[in-house]
Amino acid sequence: GELSRRFLAVIAEAIEDMPLVLKQIMQHLCMETESKFEGKGKNFAGSFIFLRFICPSFMFPEQNGLRDQKDELTQQQRRGLMLVSKVLQNAANGIEFREPYMLRLNEEFLTPNRPFIIHLFDKITQPTPKTEAEG
């Protein structure tokens, strides 16, 4: 739980620097999804960002410039990153764990961080006035 919280804090900082074009794509994705599935646009766009960009970056940090390629990760480190990625993706999807070894994270991480995840989705799908002025 604590490691996932730290990753979530890093994600929140990175979203501030998200390229304008990617935010515009997420806005469009949100609006299109919303037009077909009312009330689902932000969740879909936010979950998409986690599924296609954020979680893969954590699972393969050396391929995404987050870690030196010559330093091999151990199997245990890979498994840890995979579990953090799984926790973050479930948080993004709003889905609770069913696996017995992950159940405690429902109360310790997923439920308490849901409002923060929704806040991140707002930031992903709505450019800030600062971003609009730069664009």
Side-chain angles (χ1 to χ4, degrees):
E2 179 57 33
L3 185 58
S4 296
R5 266 187 277 285
R6 289 194 295 190
F7 275 98
L8 202 53
V10 169
I11 292 166
E13 287 178 28
I15 285 174
E16 295 296 327
D17 298 326
M18 192 171 163
L20 177 60
V21 68
L22 189 54
K23 283 188 178 184
Q24 290 170 334
I25 291 168
M26 291 303 101
Q27 273 186 303
H28 182 74
L29 185 60
C30 177
M31 289 183 337
E32 288 298 314
T33 303
E34 195 66 33
S35 72
K36 292 177 178 58
F37 305 99
E38 191 174 330
K40 304 290 184 190
K42 276 186 204 173
N43 275 357
F44 184 79
S47 293
F48 178 84
I49 283 285
F50 272 77
L51 179 66
R52 297 293 176 211
F53 294 97
I54 295 171
C55 291
S57 292
F58 289 139
M59 298 241 340
F60 305 102
E62 62 282 345
Q63 295 173 8
N64 292 288
L66 300 176
R67 183 179 170 87
D68 192 348
Q69 288 193 358
K70 58 186 166 182
D71 293 333
E72 283 282 323
L73 290 172
T74 66
Q75 217 171 9
Q76 185 177 5
Q77 289 170 323
R78 278 252 182 248
R79 174 134 173 86
L81 290 172
M82 191 252 333
L83 289 173
V84 167
S85 181
K86 182 176 181 158
V87 169
L88 293 174
Q89 189 64 56
N90 275 34
N93 293 341
I95 296 173
E96 290 193 347
F97 290 106
R98 293 186 205 136
E99 299 96 327
Y101 68 99
M102 300 288 279
L103 284 176
R104 69 182 179 86
L105 289 173
N106 292 335
E107 285 183 30
E108 292 177 12
F109 184 81
L110 297 181
T111 302
N113 285 296
R114 190 66 191 153
F116 186 70
I117 293 285
I118 292 168
H119 173 73
L120 291 180
F121 289 177
D122 286 339
K123 286 183 167 279
I124 288 168
T125 58
Q126 298 174 0
T128 62
K130 177 184 167 196
T131 305
E132 289 172 352
E134 291 173 353

